[in-house]
Amino acid sequence: MNLNLDYSPILAHEKKRKRRNIAILVIFGLLLVLTFVISMNIGFIRLSPTELFTTLIGEGTRKQSLILFDFRLPRIVLSMLAGAGLAISGAILQGISRNALADPGILGINAGAGLAVLLFICFYPSAAAAPVFLLPVLALAGAGGTAMLIYTLAFKRNEGLSPTRLLLSGIAVAAGISAATIVLTLRISPEKYQFVATWMAGSIWGTTWKFVIALLPWIVILSIYVFCKARVLDVLNLGDQLALGLGAPVERERFLLLASAVGLAGSCVAVSGGIGFVGLIAPHLARRLVGPGHKVLLPASALAGALLVCAADTLGRWVLQPSEMPAGIVVAVIGAPYFLYLLARSKTE
């Protein structure tokens, strides 16, 4: 029996989908570059495009070089790194839990990381003089402890990890940590309280190159590891039984990916404060545009997250000049309605 099957329509559709995904990644990249350039010009002291160009090539005045290289560029790079890290963390959590509402902020991981950092800062003589390279480690410890607690509460021996229990456990733990954080803020000095309040609102507070150097290795190493595990995330997203049938060590891979998500979220929170909803919005936007395959979804989420936080920080510096609005507030204005929309849609499905 000779069957002549024509696979050309399938191959053509696959090529068209790949070209479309590449185009979307390029568009995200161009928008990020455009936001980067605009952000360099936004601030209390404006730099014209000509002044910006001459300063970048080393021919600007000393004042212009100080503004651009010592204040604005570190902040812009930090906002992009933090946005990318939080977005990748959210994509991982949504993949391993198969829960569209999973997010490091909603699940309490950001709150746990923030509590560890705040505990250290509150009892350290000066918040500005806190050891920069120690902060991501402290945030990782707080985020890791919180993640283990949530995982323990949500896991059942016979049923595994329930997406609904994971979300409810995360919300409950986040509420408890938030209460502990409020109690902690009542016991600190007024000077530190002002810093803590701004930090909790999601302000990019580490505006020096030391913070960039402290965050960059965490983002690069963990992101590369997660990108290498893109196919594993695709398999885990099919369900535990099917993943086990395909030969995947489900629990080990889930634990390693969860640890990566915690590391990304914790290190970002150490320098960006309590910015929420990035890990929810960016992966959802990327998934709608490029599909559920993590090989493309992860870089698309990273670009979308970097674009979102960088744009939010830029708007925050522009809207209330000469004062500033924390980037976390700008993201929350977008993220809260989007979360309610996703919650309502999940109830109807």
Side-chain angles (χ1 to χ4, degrees):
M1 185 175 181
N2 186 19
L3 295 177
N4 295 321
L5 300 178
D6 186 11
Y7 293 102
S8 56
I10 299 176
L11 295 175
H13 177 73
E14 184 66 18
K15 288 182 180 180
K16 182 178 180 181
R17 185 180 63 84
K18 288 183 178 180
R19 287 197 298 267
R20 180 175 180 272
N21 289 345
I22 292 173
I24 290 171
L25 291 176
V26 171
I27 291 172
F28 269 138
L30 292 176
L31 288 175
L32 185 59
V33 171
L34 179 62
T35 306
F36 183 89
V37 173
I38 294 174
S39 186
M40 285 191 294
N41 183 253
I42 295 296
F44 181 68
I45 299 176
R46 298 293 298 271
L47 296 176
S48 66
T50 303
E51 293 173 338
L52 189 62
F53 177 75
T54 55
T55 305
L56 285 173
I57 63 176
E59 296 183 2
T61 64
R62 185 176 180 181
K63 180 180 178 182
Q64 292 169 347
S65 299
L66 179 68
I67 292 171
L68 183 61
F69 292 109
D70 292 352
F71 293 103
R72 289 188 187 171
L73 278 180
R75 179 167 181 166
I76 297 169
V77 173
L78 273 174
S79 66
M80 292 168 59
L81 289 176
L86 291 171
I88 296 172
S89 178
I92 297 170
L93 292 174
Q94 291 173 15
I96 63 177
S97 67
R98 306 188 307 278
N99 190 332
L101 301 178
D103 168 74
I106 297 171
L107 294 181
I109 295 175
N110 288 1
L115 181 61
V117 174
L118 290 179
L119 278 170
F120 178 76
I121 290 176
C122 289
F123 292 101
Y124 200 77
S126 172
V132 173
F133 296 97
L134 183 60
L135 293 179
V137 179
L138 292 170
L140 178 61
T146 304
M148 291 302 296
L149 176 59
I150 296 170
Y151 190 90
T152 303
L153 293 173
F155 184 83
K156 280 191 176 182
R157 184 180 298 274
N158 297 328
E159 301 178 16
L161 188 66
S162 169
T164 303
R165 284 198 304 272
L166 180 69
L167 181 63
L168 295 177
S169 299
I171 292 174
V173 171
I177 294 176
S178 298
T181 303
I182 293 173
V183 173
L184 179 64
T185 57
L186 298 177
R187 301 178 61 87
I188 60 178
S189 63
E191 294 79 10
K192 288 186 177 181
Y193 177 81
Q194 183 177 3
F195 168 80
V196 168
T198 305
W199 187 91
M200 290 173 61
S203 174
I204 307 294
W205 67 282
T207 55
T208 66
W209 289 111
K210 287 184 178 180
F211 286 89
V212 175
I213 297 172
L215 178 61
L216 187 61
W218 295 83
I219 300 297
V220 172
I221 295 172
L222 292 175
S223 296
I224 291 174
Y225 173 77
V226 173
F227 290 155
C228 293
K229 293 289 184 177
R231 293 188 181 275
V232 176
L233 276 168
D234 290 338
V235 173
L236 292 178
N237 208 21
L238 298 174
D240 291 359
Q241 293 183 351
L242 187 54
L244 287 170
L246 294 173
V250 174
E251 291 303 326
R252 182 174 67 87
E253 294 292 350
R254 180 184 285 134
F255 177 80
L256 291 174
L257 286 167
L258 178 62
S260 301
V262 168
L264 286 167
S267 57
C268 292
V269 168
V271 298
S272 66
I275 298 181
F277 296 110
V278 177
L280 177 71
I281 299 174
H284 266 278
L285 176 62
R287 190 176 292 107
R288 282 178 172 270
L289 294 174
V290 302
H294 286 83
K295 187 177 180 180
V296 183
L297 175 62
L298 289 171
S301 298
L303 290 171
L307 176 62
L308 176 62
V309 177
C310 186
D313 185 59
T314 303
L315 284 173
R317 288 189 284 120
W318 173 69
V319 172
L320 298 178
Q321 287 185 8
S323 300
E324 292 184 4
M325 181 186 299
I329 294 178
V330 180
V331 175
V333 170
I334 304 171
Y338 192 71
F339 174 74
L340 294 175
Y341 160 73
L342 289 174
L343 188 63
R345 195 181 68 172
S346 65
K347 288 182 179 180
T348 59
E349 291 178 351

